[in-house]
Amino acid sequence: MNLTLIDWLIMLLYFAFVLGIGFALKRYMRTSKDFFQAGRSLPAWICGLAFISANLGAQEVIGMGASGAKYGIATSHFYWIGAIPAMIFVGVFMMPFYYGSKARSVPEFLRLRFDEKTRAYNACSFAVMTVFSSGISMYAMARLIQTLHVFDSLFLKFNLPLGWIFHFAIILSAIIVLGYIFLGGLTSAIYNEVLQFFLIVAGFLPLVWVGLKNVGGWNGLKAALPVAYTHSWRGMTNAHNNPLGVEWFGLSMGLAFVLSFGYWCTDFLVIQTAMASDSEESARRVPLIAAIPKMFFPFLVILPGLIAIATPAVTQHAMMQAAPTLNTTAKQPAANDLSDPTKYNKGLIPAKVNPVTGKVMTDEHGNPLLDYDLAIPNMLLYYFPTGILGLGLTALLASFMSGMAGNVTAFNTVWTYDLYQSYIHKNASDSHYLKMGRWATVGGILLSMATAYAATSFNNIMDTLQLVFSFVNAPLFATFLLGMFWKRTTGHAAFTGLVSGTVAAIIHHGLTLPADANRGIHGGWIAVVHSYPSEMAQNFWTAIWAFSINFILTVIISLLTKPRPEPELVGLVYSLTPKPVEHHMAWYARPKVIAVGLIALLIALNLIFR
């Protein structure tokens, strides 16, 4: 594939713009509060778009498209029961706690509610999670650049091995994100996330329209796919009757409750954007504003995945070629040669190729794996002409930048405030912490580069992310739920439960394995005592075990230990905190009214696509 001048100009203009925002905001970064918290001065609508865009990284755009191709319309559960209810909950109930406590991060809130050790544990686990999430976005961007052969001509011109393009793309993405966060901090990240939101919408709306038209509309799409792929609830009575490989209880408890609420209510990556708003009222509206466009994103990012597998298979196309390696003069492989990914594609989905070696990857039975992560990139390449292709690629690159930037800004805040200031250098000047925040950005980027290579063994990055969330967010949600709504919860119980929940997730992962997966990073590294129909089903049940063990142990230990006096918990426990006043607000602007409207629309969507 050869990009034309107009395609290059669109992408270069975008990169110049995001770096320009960083340079423009650098002069306003005078204090650590400016750098880490955007001065708590941004309007609700800006923070609302940033709130959704912080989650609109590679895991959303590439991961949801991949899941659409792999699991069908059931992927919409990640939105309609796996996001919107939790976003409503965090806006109505939890933001008053976060914003009112003046906590600078989620770990700091845990210190205020429980104790120092709980904060330290969460800060460390969250820092690890953000590095993995940022690394996944980096990996996705590198795979996109490699698959589309964007830099092939440049490497050939300088006689460089084409197999190095994957490494070059990771370094390039790291430098760009590092540039604008290092200069403008959270403010730069938020304004870039707003820009990226509009770019993603502009780039993907034409893709859905053109793709859907080419497969005969919704009816044509339904005719080309198995019935289970076009219904979200049908077949949920049994894990083996739906592509997601999970029954209704595992879906409702694992995704809709534990993983969903664990992410949207406790993940500082998204919470930090709401806390950057100019008032508590604005902070409460931020998740509710974000929930409105979020509700319709399945049509933007999941549908392309379904269209990709419904499109008639194409083998003679640049997107179906294996990743180039040092051996560019080798003869064409035979039809049964696993080095030829074009022999095993499904619609526009090719076989998964190792980005470093260029060889087709297989499951435990020796069958080629499909590379679902290429669903949306291949859709762009197949359906978009010159110029529009540049816009579509820019939208993809914007999603990667958004995901990386959100995770890195969360990492530098937690590292500086919750680890460095708390345990390494307690009484330094504000300028010292500002400087440390910038250097933490460098460290976060370097660690993310290392974790990008760990994502190469998964054929759907959403599977990877949900696995990470089940280890970190799932047990944390149990701690938050008890801490906010049960004043008897103690610090010793919270810490013990949090550690035990994480250990439970690790053990469950080590004892279970998805169908056809190889033992190791996918699970079963202790022993295989149970097999799940899919990796997503394994993730949901890992989260359920982590949450349940944490919840039970925290309750038991809390009953055996001494609670804190009630006056110390005012503003930290729901029953002891004054409720937000809403009577001065217009009825349509009140969070509870907006929440009711969102719930009604949510029920309607679930009924339509049941």
Side-chain angles (χ1 to χ4, degrees), residues 281-416:
E281 292 176 359
S282 294
R284 295 184 69 201
R285 283 196 292 265
V286 164
L288 302 176
I289 292 171
I292 298 172
K294 181 77 172 178
M295 198 173 296
F296 297 98
F297 260 83
F299 304 110
L300 205 62
V301 296
I302 294 176
L303 265 183
L306 274 74
I307 296 169
I309 59 172
T311 300
V314 177
T315 58
Q316 301 302 318
H317 198 278
M319 67 184 176
M320 291 300 179
Q321 295 174 6
T325 62
L326 291 173
N327 186 15
T328 57
T329 60
K331 63 181 180 180
Q332 290 295 317
N336 61 349
D337 192 336
L338 284 178
S339 65
D340 182 12
T342 67
K343 302 298 181 183
Y344 307 98
N345 58 293
K346 181 180 180 181
L348 300 182
I349 312 296
K352 185 170 180 62
V353 175
N354 186 297
V356 179
T357 65
K359 295 181 179 179
V360 172
M361 300 174 67
T362 61
D363 61 21
E364 66 171 358
H365 303 299
N367 299 318
L369 295 171
L370 290 176
D371 199 346
Y372 293 105
D373 287 336
L374 296 182
I376 284 186
N378 288 353
M379 282 280 292
L380 289 172
L381 191 58
Y382 184 69
Y383 283 113
F384 273 4
T386 298
I388 299 298
L389 176 60
L391 178 62
L393 293 180
T394 302
L396 270 183
L397 297 177
S399 75
F400 303 147
M401 297 297 176
S402 175
M404 290 169 60
N407 280 287
V408 171
T409 54
F411 172 84
N412 64 28
T413 302
V414 169
W415 163 260
T416 304

Side-chain angles (χ1 to χ4, degrees), residues 45-107:
W45 74 271
I46 289 285
C47 293
L49 292 180
F51 190 91
I52 184 175
S53 192
N55 180 250
L56 198 58
Q59 61 265 43
E60 179 101 5
V61 177
I62 296 296
M64 286 302 178
S67 293
K70 187 175 183 179
Y71 302 121
I73 200 66
T75 307
S76 64
H77 289 309
F78 283 94
Y79 293 84
W80 296 337
I81 66 171
I84 306 302
M87 294 169 75
I88 293 171
F89 184 82
V90 73
V92 173
F93 293 103
M94 296 191 72
M95 281 316 302
F97 292 97
Y98 284 131
Y99 201 93
S101 69
K102 303 299 180 183
R104 297 168 297 183
S105 66
V106 169

Side-chain angles (χ1 to χ4, degrees), residues 158-171:
F158 290 99
N159 200 29
L160 295 173
L162 295 180
W164 289 4
I165 291 178
F166 181 76
H167 314 295
F168 173 76
I170 285 180
I171 295 171

Side-chain angles (χ1 to χ4, degrees), residues 525-606:
W525 42 272
I526 299 175
V528 180
V529 298
H530 182 74
S531 179
Y532 287 102
S534 70
E535 289 184 72
M536 201 61 76
Q538 181 195 40
N539 294 337
F540 291 168
W541 279 100
T542 300
I544 291 172
W545 276 100
F547 174 88
S548 302
I549 295 298
N550 185 351
F551 192 94
I552 294 169
L553 286 180
T554 302
V555 169
I556 294 173
I557 298 172
S558 291
L559 294 173
L560 299 175
T561 52
K562 183 179 179 181
R564 291 173 60 185
E566 289 190 3
E568 296 181 9
L569 299 177
V570 174
L572 301 172
V573 175
Y574 186 77
S575 61
L576 301 176
T577 301
K579 305 303 179 285
V581 178
E582 297 183 357
H583 63 265
H584 64 288
M585 303 167 63
W587 68 270
Y588 55 81
R590 296 176 183 176
K592 290 181 180 178
V593 174
I594 300 174
V596 171
L598 288 170
I599 292 172
L601 186 56
L602 187 65
I603 293 173
L605 287 170
N606 273 284

Side-chain angles (χ1 to χ4, degrees), residues 196-229:
Q196 288 151 356
F197 171 83
F198 288 111
L199 268 175
I200 291 166
V201 172
F204 280 78
L205 272 179
L207 178 67
V208 173
W209 185 81
V210 172
L212 204 55
K213 183 179 178 181
N214 275 271
V215 296
W218 177 248
N219 289 331
L221 184 64
K222 289 173 67 177
L225 297 173
V227 173
Y229 271 71

Side-chain angles (χ1 to χ4, degrees), residues 25 29 34 37-48 50 99 184-194 272-283 286:
L25 293 173
M29 299 298 108
D34 296 329
Q37 299 175 280
R40 284 199 169 184
S41 59
L42 302 179
W45 74 271
I46 289 285
C47 293
Y99 201 93
L186 179 60
T187 308
S188 179
I190 286 178
Y191 278 110
N192 272 303
E193 284 165 353
V194 173
Q272 68 173 344
T273 57
M275 291 173 68
S277 54
D278 54 15
S279 67
E280 183 178 313
E281 292 176 359
S282 294
V286 164

